Amino acid sequence: MAVNSPIPVAADLKPVAGIELGYAEAGIKKPGRKDVLVLKLADGATVSGVFTLNRFCAAPVQISKENLAAVNAGGKPIRALMINTGNANAGTGAAGLANARATCAALAREMGCDAQQILPFSTGVILEPLPVEKIVAGLPKALENLKLDNWFNAAEAIMTTDTQPKAASRTVEIAGHQVTMTGISKGAGMIKPNMATMLGYLAFDAKVAQPVLDVLVKEAADQSFNCITIDGDTSTNDSFMLVATGAGSLVVDAVDSPEYRALAAAVTELSVFLAQAIVRDGEGATKFMTITVEDGKDAAECRKIAYSIGHSPLVKTAFFASDPNLGRILAAIGYAGVDDLDVSKINLFLDDVWVAKDGGRNPDYQEADGQRVMKQSEITVRVKLARGSAAATVYTCDLSHDYVSINADYRS
């Protein structure tokens, strides 16, 4: 069970005009599970995304980036997104690229569009050939059950080691226009900032110019999916996509407009929720931790230190054991790579407990207070650097015995 993360209710997930979703059970890895998903877009929709920085990025990532670049170069608009689980199609070389293109071509034939108008995505086992025949065979079924209100099924269709689907909706009013947005995400392991094995899809019914959407997706990702870490591994397949269907009445065509700021705030809030849902469902996780670094020279150094704490297996295992061995946090701060850091000015807090004062143990700190906080299922670690006014926040989870078991048995 994910940490303090209830399973979404299908009825609470709002349809977004201009996008239909359909799934199939193609038997890619196991029979009887949803493993192919198609998101069909209405005319006038715009799409933008950010992807993994792993140099071994998967074939579908390469093709999605190519097809989005073609749109920006004046090509035909994207008509559909296609996702399969059970196979990552990564580490598969030229054959993997050919297989991904073959699935795009198959969906394009079914929809009557060009293969370049399809964005493919995959998640699952790396270094295994993509079962093209199974995916192609499942596409007609996915198109047959296209519905506006299929978001819950869509969330289930992109799961791998997730213990539950991740999805949410929001309705906001911007400049007198109602905007509906719904998003889904997946991921539970192989999660590290710079995108993580995570997938995220968020659609809303505003009409947004392509250059504006390209800015918005990066802004939202940097405050959400690029602020999570479970195990420090950056996947080959990470992708976060925004779809502006254009079916609503709000039009946003400039990043310096109040409409953009309001839309960006709403999209970012929902993105943070979906990103946190991944951490809460981390493989074997029992605790959710927020790590905030404050008073830094700039956000980059604050984030570097927050990541260092969040990635540390020693810190994460201490939290799992509820062991207030908090010197491990100081060590992680020290090796984060901020070379001119004056540790004599650092203050460390565990929720409301002041642990380290001016670089040393706070004379008033009692281990019983640290133990009390460590036993909670949600914990905030706060570090004050006394170097400036910048801050950054990273979300992570503990590291348990179950994480080892899950990943030792991943391919079975």
Side-chain angles (χ1 to χ4, degrees):
M1 183 66 179
V3 180
N4 299 333
S5 183
I7 296 174
V9 177
D12 293 338
L13 301 178
K14 303 178 186 299
V16 177
I19 182 168
E20 297 177 287
L21 307 95
Y23 66 90
E25 297 179 359
I28 293 173
K29 186 177 179 182
K30 295 179 180 179
R33 62 174 295 174
K34 306 177 184 77
D35 53 12
V36 171
L37 175 67
V38 173
L39 285 66
K40 181 183 178 182
L41 311 183
D43 293 338
T46 50
V47 183
S48 190
V50 289
F51 301 89
T52 181
L53 297 183
N54 192 313
R55 292 297 299 160
F56 242 116
C57 65
V61 169
Q62 297 176 55
I63 293 170
S64 287
K65 292 169 71 174
E66 288 176 6
N67 291 356
L68 285 172
V71 172
N72 284 322
K76 294 180 180 180
I78 300 302
R79 291 293 312 281
L81 286 67
M82 172 180 56
I83 305 105
N84 75 267
T85 63
N87 184 292
N89 195 11
T92 48
L97 287 168
N99 286 339
R101 294 188 196 283
T103 61
C104 290
L107 181 56
R109 286 193 299 271
E110 294 284 344
M111 293 182 57
C113 65
D114 295 342
Q116 204 170 42
Q117 294 179 274
I118 308 296
L119 299 182
F121 304 87
S122 298
T123 183
V125 178
I126 298 170
L127 206 66
E128 296 291 338
L130 188 73
V132 177
E133 298 80 6
K134 292 182 178 180
I135 294 172
V136 170
L139 292 176
K141 177 63 176 178
L143 293 173
E144 181 183 318
N145 68 23
L146 284 169
K147 297 177 184 177
L148 287 168
D149 61 352
N150 240 347
W151 284 99
F152 185 84
N153 286 318
E156 289 188 322
I158 62 173
M159 292 168 55
T160 50
T161 59
D162 309 62
T163 67
Q164 65 182 53
K166 303 165 178 67
S169 293
R170 301 287 188 269
T171 301
V172 296
E173 185 169 309
I174 300 174
H177 302 272
Q178 183 171 289
V179 178
T180 300
M181 56 184 64
T182 298
I184 58 176
S185 63
K186 67 80 50 180
M190 208 173 188
I191 304 292
K192 181 188 176 182
N194 292 330
M195 306 307 299
T197 184
M198 59 129 294
L199 299 175
Y201 305 93
L202 195 160
F204 50 87
D205 56 9
K207 183 175 181 62
V208 180
Q210 187 69 53
V212 175
L213 194 65
D214 292 342
V215 173
L216 177 55
V217 72
K218 292 181 176 63
E219 181 177 331
D222 280 345
Q223 297 179 61
S224 59
F225 292 101
N226 278 340
C227 293
I228 60 176
T229 177
I230 289 176
D231 50 20
D233 273 293
T234 297
S235 168
T236 54
N237 292 62
D238 314 330
S239 306
F240 171 52
M241 309 302 298
L242 289 185
V243 177
T245 69
S249 58
L250 178 67
V251 177
V252 181
D253 53 15
V255 296
D256 57 356
S257 65
E259 290 82 3
Y260 174 83
R261 292 311 325 157
L263 179 63
V267 168
T268 299
E269 186 276 329
L270 182 51
S271 300
V272 169
F273 178 89
L274 294 171
Q276 288 186 356
I278 290 174
V279 176
R280 293 179 184 279
D281 196 25
E283 291 169 344
T286 68
K287 295 175 183 177
F288 175 85
M289 289 104 75
T290 299
I291 302 170
T292 298
V293 179
E294 305 170 357
D295 302 338
K297 282 185 178 179
D298 54 45
E301 74 171 20
C302 292
R303 184 172 286 192
K304 183 182 288 188
I305 290 171
Y307 289 162
S308 185
I309 298 168
H311 292 160
S312 168
L314 289 179
V315 170
K316 294 158 80 70
T317 50
F319 275 96
F320 170 65
S322 300
D323 175 19
N325 188 357
L326 301 176
R328 292 178 174 182
I329 297 177
L330 295 183
I333 294 170
Y335 65 62
V338 180
D339 294 335
D340 62 342
L341 186 65
D342 185 351
V343 298
S344 70
K345 296 181 179 179
I346 286 177
N347 290 279
L348 170 66
F349 298 82
L350 201 63
D351 274 12
D352 60 337
V353 177
W354 194 347
V355 176
K357 182 177 182 180
D358 298 331
R361 183 184 178 111
N362 180 5
D364 297 328
Y365 170 68
Q366 300 293 322
E367 184 154 318
D369 293 327
Q371 183 96 61
R372 167 178 57 81
V373 176
M374 295 283 275
K375 288 182 177 180
Q376 299 170 180
S377 59
E378 301 212 18
I379 301 164
T380 297
V381 175
R382 188 160 61 100
V383 180
K384 297 177 72 68
L385 302 179
R387 290 164 60 85
S389 58
T393 298
V394 166
Y395 307 101
T396 191
C397 60
D398 58 343
L399 196 59
S400 72
H401 304 295
D402 286 345
Y403 176 85
V404 176
S405 299
I406 290 166
N407 283 281
D409 199 34
Y410 179 69
R411 295 201 303 162
S412 65

